[in-house]
Amino acid sequence: MSTKTNLPRIAITMGDPSGVGPEIIAKALQDQEVYHHCEPFVIGDAKRLEQAFAITNSSLTCKVITDVDEASFQYGEIDVMDLNLVSDSLPWGEVSAEAGNAAFHYLEKAIHLANKEEIQGICTAPLNKEALHKAGHMYPGHTEILAELTNTKDFAMMLAAPGLRVIHVTTHVGLIDAIHKITPERQYTVIKLAHETLQKAGISSPRIAVCGINPHAGENGLFGNGEEEEKIVPAVKKAQEEGIDVVGPLPADTLFFRARRGDFDIVVAQYHDQGHGPIKVLGLEAGVNITVGLPTIRTSVDHGTAFDIAGKNIADELSLKEAIRMAIDLAPRL
């Protein structure tokens, strides 16, 4: 039986059980330091995690729970909310409807707990979109499932690496489409999401900087067709009038350097590669994918299911450990 602490309670979903999720969870929770900063538990299949213990030569054991309050959160014995959805013989490294269905329901359970405010964060191991679709769950990925099941309309992708946070106005659309999708309304929404997310994480007045769209942020109309004045400036002014500490549009080619130096707490990027590039150059193992605007913070590894190495004790757990750390950092203060 768990006792009340001031540590955030983090649900770690197993993701696709045919991928590297079970292995990286086993390896990440081998680190006792995790338990010093949060109350972690796994939502998945206990027998699959036990198989991962054997593969990774781990001395950890599972404690099956049916309710969060049954968890002990003790190092060495991983609390597992066992949904018992996959067979013992489920192969590693293969796309299957069985695994895709399980991955969906692990996440669904975590969302249910979040909606009841029983957890402060969700950390997700990777799922496979093809397996998800084979199981009849027709979503592009985690974010869309999370948004629909929490009835969330305003959400955004944040990426984080040591010393740098980036939130995106647009993400997985082509560059020409992204320019069209950037509106003052969306811009303002993302600035507000950045502000509120960091406030909940304990930063009382987050310093926010907004990237321009064109080179040198348009340089007073020299580059582009006035996109900065049309799509960014109104949103920045509105947020400033509400007391939000935000500046921009600023030239992206120097802004990320300034943010990493410590001038800003978060950067608003206008499109996918503008925001992803600076994070990725800091190291793929250090990057964490975060969905903000949900009832609870959600973080994820910045890699896929890696079917080619699943079940072989090769997968690296560093991205998952960073994702857990970021969930802890961004979880509401208790």
Side-chain angles (χ1 to χ4, degrees):
M1 183 73 68
S2 67
T3 57
K4 180 66 177 175
T5 73
N6 289 324
L7 298 177
R9 191 165 289 179
I10 306 297
I12 304 170
T13 59
M14 188 175 282
D16 190 303
S18 291
V20 296
E23 289 171 80
I24 60 176
I25 290 172
K27 291 180 178 182
L29 294 183
Q30 187 76 50
D31 185 349
Q32 190 168 0
E33 187 71 14
V34 173
Y35 286 81
H36 294 162
H37 301 287
C38 72
E39 293 183 338
F41 69 100
V42 175
I43 301 176
D45 269 62
K47 57 180 171 285
R48 195 60 164 178
L49 193 56
E50 288 168 347
Q51 290 174 358
F53 292 158
I55 289 167
T56 59
N57 302 308
S58 173
S59 60
L60 298 174
T61 60
C62 286
K63 175 186 175 182
V64 173
I65 61 173
T66 57
D67 187 272
V68 182
D69 287 335
E70 296 174 1
S72 301
F73 307 116
Q74 297 298 314
Y75 173 71
E77 182 183 63
I78 298 178
D79 299 293
V80 182
M81 194 166 284
D82 182 15
L83 301 194
N84 193 27
L85 292 173
V86 298
S87 63
D88 293 346
S89 59
L90 181 74
W92 295 95
E94 294 183 14
V95 174
S96 73
E98 181 183 5
N101 183 60
F104 175 83
H105 287 294
Y106 302 155
L107 184 61
E108 182 183 49
K109 182 65 174 180
I111 293 167
H112 175 69
L113 296 176
N115 287 338
K116 293 198 301 177
E117 299 184 349
E118 293 188 22
I119 57 176
Q120 285 71 55
I122 299 172
C123 182
T124 59
L127 52 71
N128 181 276
K129 293 172 187 175
E130 184 182 352
L132 198 65
H133 292 176
K134 276 194 169 188
H137 305 295
M138 309 307 289
Y139 297 88
H142 272 116
T143 302
E144 292 77 13
I145 298 171
L146 287 155
E148 181 173 309
L149 296 186
T150 59
N151 196 29
T152 300
K153 299 295 185 287
D154 293 331
F155 57 93
M157 176 190 289
M158 181 191 294
L159 297 180
L164 184 62
R165 302 183 189 95
V166 181
I167 191 168
H168 292 69
V169 178
T170 67
T171 49
H172 294 109
V173 293
L175 185 55
I176 292 174
D177 292 333
I179 304 304
H180 290 301
K181 287 180 177 293
I182 298 168
T183 64
E185 294 75 21
R186 174 62 180 168
Q187 197 84 228
Y188 171 75
T189 294
V190 173
I191 293 170
K192 284 275 287 183
L193 286 171
H195 177 75
E196 292 168 358
T197 299
L198 295 189
Q199 273 197 326
K200 289 177 182 176
I203 302 174
S204 58
S205 183
R207 298 163 300 161
I208 304 168
V210 181
C211 285
I213 296 170
N214 295 297
H216 304 287
E219 202 163 306
N220 297 316
L222 184 61
F223 303 111
N225 295 295
E227 288 86 358
E228 281 74 17
E229 287 295 322
E230 175 192 347
K231 296 172 177 287
I232 299 175
V233 171
V236 171
K237 286 183 176 178
K238 182 178 179 181
Q240 289 172 338
E241 288 168 0
E242 295 178 2
I244 295 175
D245 185 356
V246 57
V247 294
L250 298 176
D253 58 355
T254 55
L255 177 49
F256 291 99
F257 167 79
R258 292 181 60 192
R260 188 97 197 284
R261 186 176 65 185
D263 294 2
F264 305 106
D265 297 303
I266 191 166
V267 173
V268 176
Q270 301 300 321
Y271 50 89
H272 183 281
D273 285 11
Q274 187 182 64
H276 278 59
I279 291 288
K280 302 283 187 181
V281 81
L282 294 176
L284 292 176
E285 75 285 349
V288 178
N289 188 319
I290 304 154
T291 307
V292 300
L294 304 170
T296 189
I297 201 70
R298 174 259 174 170
T299 67
S300 180
V301 296
D302 200 22
H303 61 73
T305 47
F307 281 163
D308 57 322
I309 61 170
K312 300 177 181 178
N313 196 21
I314 298 172
D316 193 312
E317 76 277 16
L318 288 181
S319 186
L320 180 60
K321 288 173 69 173
E322 280 295 312
I324 295 170
R325 183 186 67 80
M326 193 60 60
I328 295 165
D329 287 349
L330 293 174
R333 303 298 94 181
L334 299 177

